[in-house]
C-alpha cells in the first residue's frame, strides 16, 4: 500500500501521550488459557479482560504523561491517518453517487494502553472497536504488532483492512443499520444476538471490500499483493480460527464475527462488486 507522503485525515484524536501506569501482576487463575491465548480471544470476540490482566484489583487505570512518541509510533499514527483519509474519500463518493447524501466521517482515537470511551474502557484487551455512543473508533496501534506477529496477518494492507472494518461500522451507523440491529439484539437470546452480530460483522467486511475496490480504482494506492494481505487477515481473525488458536473446539453458536471462510467471502464480495446493495447480509440464509 502506497501511503508514505500522502494526505492524512483531520479526524484523528491522538491520546498516545497518555499511558497507563501501575497495575498488578497478571493472574490467570486455575487452569487458565495463557496470556497470549487470552488476549487473542479478547481482541476478536468482544471480551474485555482488563480486570484479569490487572490482577483483578478492580481499581481504575492510572493515567500519566509519557513524553515523546517513538519513531515507529509516529509512523503508525501517520499510516492510520492516511488510511482514514482514504476511507473518507471513498465513502464520501459512495454516499453522494449511490445514495444522494453526505457522509459524516468518524473520528479515530489513537491511544496507548488504555483510554476511556462511552462504550467502556478501550484497552489492549478489547482491541480496536467502534463506539456508537460518540461515533468514534478506538485503536491502539500496538495491535498491529499482535496482528502480524501473533496472528500471522502480515503487511500494511492487513492493518489497513482493520481500520477500514471499523470505519465500516460507522458507515452502518450512518445508514441506520447498526442502531436498528442493536435494538433487536438487546431483546434477543444470547444465541440470536450472536447470530445478528455475525451478520453485522460480515457486512462490515463486505463494506471493507468496497473500500478496497474503490481505493484501488480512484486513489491508486493499492499495490500487488495488498488484497491478498486483507483476505489473509480476514481468515486469521475468523471466530473458528481464533477459537482453535485458543485451544478450544469451534462453537458456531458462540461466533460473533463469523468464520474465516465467511469473512473472506464477504470481503471478496464487496471487493468484486464495489456496490452496497451486494452487502445485504441480513436477507440471505447462506452466509
Amino acid at each position: 500500500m502506497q501511503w508514505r507522503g500522502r494526505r492524512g485525515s483531520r479526524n484523528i484524536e491522538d491520546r498516545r501521550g497518555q499511558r497507563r501506569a501501575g497495575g498488578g501482576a497478571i493472574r490467570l487463575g486455575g487452569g487458565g488459557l495463557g496470556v497470549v491465548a487470552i488476549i487473542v480471544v479478547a481482541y476478536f470476540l468482544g471480551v474485555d479482560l482488563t480486570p484479569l490482566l490487572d490482577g483483578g484489583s478492580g481499581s481504575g487505570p492510572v493515567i500519566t504523561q509519557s513524553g515523546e512518541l517513538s519513531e515507529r509510533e509516529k509512523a503508525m499514527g501517520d499510516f492510520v491517518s492516511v488510511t482514514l483519509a482514504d476511507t473518507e474519500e471513498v465513502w464520501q463518493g459512495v454516499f453522494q453517487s449511490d445514495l444522494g447524501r453526505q457522509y459524516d466521517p468518524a473520528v479515530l482515537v489513537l491511544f496507548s494502553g488504555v483510554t476511556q470511551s462511552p462504550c467502556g474502557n478501550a484497552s489492549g484487551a478489547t482491541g480496536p472497536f467502534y463506539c456508537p455512543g460518540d461515533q468514534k473508533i478506538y485503536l491502539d496501534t500496538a495491535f498491529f504488532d499482535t496482528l502480524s506477529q501473533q496472528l500471522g496477518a502480515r503487511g500494511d494492507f492487513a492493518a489497513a483492512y482493520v481500520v477500514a472494518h471499523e470505519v465500516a461500522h460507522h458507515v452502518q451507523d450512518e445508514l441506520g443499520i447498526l442502531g436498528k440491529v442493536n435494538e433487536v439484539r438487546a431483546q434477543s437470546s444470547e444465541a440470536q444476538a450472536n447470530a445478528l452480530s455475525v451478520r453485522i460483522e460480515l457486512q462490515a467486511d463486505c463494506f471493507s471490500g468496497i473500500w478496497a475496490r474503490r481505493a484501488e480504482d480512484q486513489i491508486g494506492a493499492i499495490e500487488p499483493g495488498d488484497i491478498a494481505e486483507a483476505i489473509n487477515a480476514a481468515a486469521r481473525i475468523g471466530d473458528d480460527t481464533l477459537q482453535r488458536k485458543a485451544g478450544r473446539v469451534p462453537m458456531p453458536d458462540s461466533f460473533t464475527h463469523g468464520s474465516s471462510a465467511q469473512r473472506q467471502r464477504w470481503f471478496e464480495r464487496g471487493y468484486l462488486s464495489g456496490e452496497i446493495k451486494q452487502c445485504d447480509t441480513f436477507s440471505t440464509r447462506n452466509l
Side-chain angles (χ1 to χ4, degrees):
M1 178 180 173
Q2 300 177 7
W3 64 270
R4 297 184 185 278
R6 295 178 50 228
R7 177 184 65 87
S9 172
R10 296 181 178 180
N11 294 307
I12 295 286
E13 181 181 331
D14 197 340
R15 301 181 188 175
R16 290 178 296 168
Q18 299 178 338
R19 296 182 192 248
R20 184 178 186 180
I26 296 174
R27 277 192 250 151
L28 298 178
L33 287 172
V35 177
V36 173
I38 284 180
I39 292 177
V40 165
V41 173
Y43 266 135
F44 295 105
L45 302 188
V47 180
D48 186 357
L49 299 181
T50 304
L52 181 63
L53 298 177
D54 284 344
S57 64
S59 60
V62 178
I63 304 300
T64 62
Q65 294 296 324
S66 65
E68 293 295 321
L69 299 174
S70 69
E71 289 302 314
R72 175 168 172 74
E73 286 173 322
K74 291 177 182 177
M76 286 295 93
D78 291 342
F79 168 79
V80 170
S81 180
V82 170
T83 303
L84 185 64
D86 286 353
T87 68
E88 292 165 353
E89 182 174 340
V90 165
W91 287 112
Q92 284 167 1
V94 171
F95 271 52
Q96 289 174 359
S97 63
D98 296 8
L99 304 174
R101 53 178 287 191
Q102 292 295 312
Y103 171 66
D104 186 14
V107 169
L108 191 149
V109 178
L110 292 172
F111 69 95
S112 296
V114 69
T115 193
Q116 301 293 315
S117 86
C119 296
N121 282 348
S123 72
T126 57
F129 68 91
Y130 173 71
C131 179
D134 58 4
Q135 296 190 317
K136 293 182 179 181
I137 297 161
Y138 290 81
L139 172 66
D140 184 341
T141 55
F143 169 75
F144 295 145
D145 293 331
T146 297
L147 187 69
S148 174
Q149 298 169 15
Q150 301 290 344
L151 301 180
R154 299 178 177 86
D156 53 10
F157 206 73
Y161 157 73
V162 170
V163 175
H165 179 91
E166 298 309 326
V167 170
H169 285 312
H170 177 66
V171 172
Q172 292 172 317
D173 204 6
E174 287 284 287
L175 295 175
I177 297 170
L178 194 59
K180 290 180 181 178
V181 174
N182 282 339
E183 286 180 6
V184 176
R185 289 182 70 247
Q187 303 172 21
S188 302
S189 67
E190 181 178 358
Q192 291 171 328
N194 287 346
L196 287 171
S197 178
V198 166
R199 291 178 185 271
I200 277 286
E201 297 297 335
L202 294 180
Q203 185 179 66
D205 282 330
C206 190
F207 284 176
S208 301
I210 292 176
W211 165 75
R213 173 63 177 272
R214 300 213 179 196
E216 183 176 49
D217 294 344
Q218 300 171 16
I219 303 173
I222 309 301
E223 297 179 305
D226 281 346
I227 302 304
E229 289 178 1
I231 292 173
N232 176 58
R236 298 284 182 165
I237 58 179
D239 284 329
D240 53 340
T241 298
L242 290 171
Q243 288 183 359
R244 289 190 190 97
K245 193 175 183 70
R248 299 165 57 193
V249 175
M251 298 179 292
D253 285 348
S254 71
F255 290 179
T256 57
H257 287 65
S259 70
S260 294
Q262 289 172 330
R263 300 199 70 168
Q264 288 179 304
R265 182 160 57 248
W266 282 96
F267 176 86
E268 290 179 315
R269 182 166 180 162
Y271 174 71
L272 293 174
S273 70
E275 299 179 353
I276 286 181
K277 65 182 180 181
Q278 295 297 323
C279 294
D280 183 2
T281 57
F282 295 95
S283 63
T284 181
R285 292 184 179 181
N286 183 22
L287 291 175

